[in-house]
Amino acid sequence: MSTTSNTTPGTDPGKQPKADGDQQDLGAAGSQLSTAPAEEAPNLPSLGVIGWARWFWRQLTSMRVALLLLLLVSLGAIPGSLIPQDGIDAVKVEEFRQNHDLLAPVYDKLGLFHVYSSVWFSAIYILLFVSLIGCIVPRTWQFVGQLRGRPPRAPRRLDRLPAYTTWRTAAEPEEVREAALTLLKKRRFRADAAGDAVAAEKGYLREVGNLAFHIALIVLLVAFAWGQLFKYEGNKLILEGDGFANTLTQYDDFKSGNLFDPDHDLAPFSFTLKDFHGTYEATGPNRGTPRVYEAEVTYSEGAHGAEKSKTVEVNKPLNIDGSKVYLVSHGYAPILTVKDAKGDVVMDKQAVALLPLDGNVTSSGAVKVMDGYRNAKGEKEQLGFNAFFLPTYGGKDSGMRSTFPALLNPMLALSAYHGDLGVDAGIPQSIYQLDKTNLKEFKDSDGELFKQQLKVGDTMTLPNGAGTVTFDGVQEWAGFQVTRQPGSGWALGGAVVAIFGLAGSLFIQRRRVWVRAVRGADGVTVVEMAGLGRSESAKVPEELGDLAGVLYDQAPGAPDAPETDDTPDSSPDTHVVPAEGAEK
């Protein structure tokens, strides 16, 4: 089988040729092999309101504009990642405003502190959504029509197509067409016999993948919007033995979407931290790395649900009615007993949670005695202590840093203050920091701030008989994050479908094949085969050559066929006409 190549300028295998003769030859066979709408240049002088509206709609629903809008959404998300957002961390936003007097007003006007709910981001998002819808609906309708129809009839001149082969055979034309129809169907072509030719088409999954990709993008957009509007996320620090109920007042911090309703959307459940268990690498380069990091909890769903047990680990959350409870942190809470100047207990073995500062759980915080304390003069005051805790104290050479995260040699350092803590002023303040505005330092014998390091069981006596503080022990705590992200399953499904759809639209080629068998003037059957692809590809002539070889075995060339200038050779002769203007 010989193969020759030549180039026909201006040939586009995905569209009808522009020349009148070629257009009459190919007809419907040369129609574009996709559902992309044909672009029409606007007739500017005659455009009215309806014409301009139609032109704007065509531009909005074009692939170029959809890609541009998708790029703008990606660019718009960049400031949402780099600039503090009101809905995520209002404290950082306020700090940014205080530290950037010039930038903050500009960011406020541009809506950069709430990017995802800003007018400009919402406009891009909605336009992208409309663009995808307007692109998918007509293409889907057109594709359904193509599936319900038959492959286009063979053009009059098959030799004008990009891939072509012909030979003469002694078999009857009907036998050749029947064999061709069977072969093409066996190769999973949609084939149909019409007149003196068999028409076949293959590669519909390309358009299925294209449509699936666009539909998946819409699903992703809807899932993302739904999740942002109705999500919530809160954090809670819980001491061993304490519990938590999923109500807004129980959270240490809480943030949610714009349409979230805490009265109806918070799933009713509760849980209690029974025990936190952590073990760590004792030696080697990974010393201090957690080996076991888990929390034993008991939980119940609803107001009267049965109590169940669960072990919560990192990346293995507790799932309750659509909400997930993650274990995110761990720390220690020294247990303290505080007595006033008369020896009356004003804080009885209370655990005070401190926040970890490093991987070895060096922790800091504040101890506040707000009620019941009286000084040596009998006056009501409040006590405050800056606390620094080391679960494993390595001695003076290690400084004030823990050398291991486990409780091997706990040490608590306290510095003492008295006066007004400011908690009665109605101004919110952190429970982990002291407001020293109205506090006075306790002084030691050298006139310096009074401070002391305590082992478990040690007691610190305040100057001038002001009272005592006893370090009774250590309790552990665990930090949990409760989240609900509606639409995450849809988003994951949309992402998977989008990947497979994009792969199908890139690697599957839509193509058509025709086989014509007619009786020549000398009574010998002439077989012609031609192929047409959506874009220039070596796959079309290769596939046509393979089909021609199989069909030639069933309808071999006629022996001793007379050869003239107008008579084709009895062996298949395949030529390829590469496309220059292939449809993209």
Side-chain angles (χ1 to χ4, degrees):
M1 183 181 297
S2 61
T3 301
T4 60
S5 299
N6 57 67
T7 302
T8 302
T11 302
D12 185 345
K15 299 180 181 178
Q16 293 183 2
K18 296 180 180 179
D20 293 338
D22 289 352
Q23 187 172 7
Q24 292 174 2
D25 287 342
L26 295 183
S31 62
Q32 65 183 82
L33 291 166
S34 76
T35 56
E39 297 184 7
E40 298 178 1
N43 189 1
L44 297 179
S46 62
L47 278 181
V49 175
I50 297 178
W52 277 109
R54 177 181 294 178
W55 179 84
F56 177 78
W57 175 254
R58 293 237 175 160
Q59 299 307 308
L60 180 61
T61 56
S62 67
M63 187 57 60
R64 291 191 301 271
V65 173
L67 292 175
L68 176 61
L69 292 172
L70 191 60
L71 175 63
L72 291 177
V73 168
S74 302
L75 293 176
I78 293 176
S81 302
L82 300 178
I83 300 173
Q85 299 294 292
D86 281 322
I88 297 177
D89 197 334
V91 175
K92 286 188 177 180
V93 173
E94 191 59 34
E95 290 178 357
F96 188 93
R97 288 194 173 102
Q98 294 175 0
N99 298 330
H100 302 81
D101 296 334
L102 297 178
L103 281 179
V106 176
Y107 285 4
D108 276 320
K109 291 181 180 179
L110 296 177
L112 297 183
F113 289 124
H114 48 89
V115 168
Y116 302 112
S117 59
S118 63
V119 175
W120 59 269
F121 189 85
S122 300
I124 297 173
Y125 198 86
I126 293 173
L127 284 175
L128 176 59
F129 189 81
V130 173
S131 177
L132 290 174
I133 292 289
C135 181
I136 289 173
V137 172
R139 294 184 69 156
T140 302
W141 185 254
Q142 184 179 353
F143 183 60
V144 171
Q146 292 180 358
L147 290 178
R148 296 178 62 184
R150 296 181 177 183
R153 295 171 64 93
R156 185 172 60 86
R157 293 286 303 276
L158 289 179
D159 56 347
R160 292 181 178 269
L161 293 180
Y164 173 81
T165 185
T166 183
W167 72 93
R168 293 158 50 86
T169 180
E172 295 295 324
E174 294 79 6
E175 295 176 358
V176 176
R177 291 194 291 268
E178 185 65 29
L181 184 65
T182 302
L183 172 62
L184 291 171
K185 287 184 176 181
K186 186 177 180 180
R187 296 293 181 91
R188 297 191 299 276
F189 279 84
R190 291 178 65 243
D192 179 64
D196 59 0
V198 174
E201 193 165 9
K202 191 177 184 180
Y204 285 91
L205 286 180
R206 179 189 181 98
E207 193 63 26
V208 172
N210 194 10
L211 294 174
F213 173 74
H214 288 82
I215 294 173
L217 284 183
I218 293 178
V219 172
L220 280 171
L221 290 175
V222 173
F224 176 77
W226 187 268
Q228 290 297 313
L229 292 173
F230 292 96
K231 72 174 182 178
Y232 76 83
E233 179 182 301
N235 294 281
K236 180 63 178 179
L237 185 152
I238 304 176
L239 295 168
E240 288 179 332
D242 288 351
F244 166 80
N246 193 30
T247 58
L248 192 60
T249 56
Q250 289 274 301
Y251 286 96
D252 295 332
D253 62 81
F254 186 87
K255 52 182 177 287
S256 63
N258 294 335
L259 298 183
F260 176 81
D261 184 358
D263 296 330
H264 299 91
D265 295 337
L266 280 175
F269 67 86
S270 61
F271 66 91
T272 300
L273 174 62
K274 306 299 292 184
D275 179 60
F276 176 86
H277 181 54
T279 61
Y280 309 88
E281 290 285 350
T283 58
N286 295 323
R287 185 176 187 272
T289 302
R291 296 180 59 187
V292 177
Y293 202 82
E294 59 188 24
E296 300 289 338
V297 302
T298 57
Y299 69 97
S300 60
E301 301 182 44
H304 307 287
E307 193 173 83
K308 304 175 184 178
S309 297
K310 172 73 175 180
T311 300
V312 182
E313 302 177 48
V314 177
N315 296 326
K316 294 183 179 180
L318 170 64
N319 291 282
I320 308 177
D321 194 17
S323 298
K324 294 184 178 181
V325 181
Y326 291 91
L327 174 64
V328 294
S329 58
H330 161 258
Y332 298 103
I335 301 174
L336 303 175
T337 297
V338 181
K339 296 181 181 180
D340 64 8
K342 293 183 178 181
D344 295 333
V345 177
V346 293
M347 178 185 286
D348 187 15
K349 294 185 178 180
Q350 181 174 328
V352 181
L354 305 180
L355 297 180
L357 301 175
D358 56 29
N360 287 326
V361 203
T362 303
S363 307
S364 69
V367 180
K368 300 180 181 182
V369 181
M370 295 177 284
D371 299 314
Y373 173 78
R374 290 181 180 271
N375 61 21
K377 297 179 181 179
E379 299 172 343
K380 289 185 176 181
E381 273 191 323
Q382 294 175 328
L383 296 179
F385 302 89
N386 274 331
F388 209 77
F389 178 73
L390 283 66
T392 300
Y393 179 50
K396 294 182 180 180
D397 294 338
S398 64
M400 294 299 291
R401 293 287 179 182
S402 176
T403 59
F404 198 72
L407 289 171
L408 301 182
N409 184 27
M411 187 273 286
L412 176 66
L414 296 175
S415 56
Y417 301 82
H418 65 100
D420 183 7
L421 293 171
V423 295
D424 299 326
I427 300 175
Q429 62 176 246
S430 172
I431 63 173
Y432 304 105
Q433 294 180 339
L434 286 179
D435 181 359
K436 301 177 184 177
T437 305
N438 298 312
L439 290 177
K440 298 179 181 179
E441 298 178 350
F442 280 105
K443 302 292 185 178
D444 58 17
S445 57
D446 297 327
E448 301 293 334
L449 172 64
F450 182 76
K451 52 189 176 183
Q452 188 174 337
Q453 296 180 359
L454 304 174
K455 297 286 189 177
V456 175
D458 290 349
T459 297
M460 180 174 73
T461 301
L462 298 175
N464 303 320
T468 61
V469 180
T470 302
F471 180 22
D472 294 308
V474 181
Q475 189 172 354
E476 296 187 73
W477 59 260
F480 295 90
Q481 184 179 80
V482 183
T483 64
R484 185 177 185 182
Q485 187 78 31
S488 57
W490 285 97
L492 176 61
V496 172
V497 172
I499 293 173
F500 282 101
L502 183 60
S505 65
L506 291 176
F507 298 110
I508 298 175
Q509 186 181 20
R510 184 93 170 265
R511 63 263 193 206
R512 292 167 181 164
V513 172
W514 293 274
V515 180
R516 174 175 285 133
V518 295
R519 194 178 302 280
D522 57 355
V524 179
T525 300
V526 178
V527 181
E528 292 181 289
M529 293 185 68
L532 179 68
R534 183 185 175 196
S535 57
E536 181 179 350
S537 172
K539 185 174 183 178
V540 174
E542 289 176 0
E543 186 174 42
L544 183 70
D546 179 54
L547 292 171
V550 176
L551 188 60
Y552 185 82
D553 291 338
Q554 301 180 34
D560 301 324
E563 294 187 10
T564 65
D565 293 339
D566 299 327
T567 302
D569 183 59
S570 60
S571 63
D573 179 20
T574 304
H575 73 266
V576 180
V577 182
E580 294 182 355
E583 178 191 357
K584 303 296 181 185

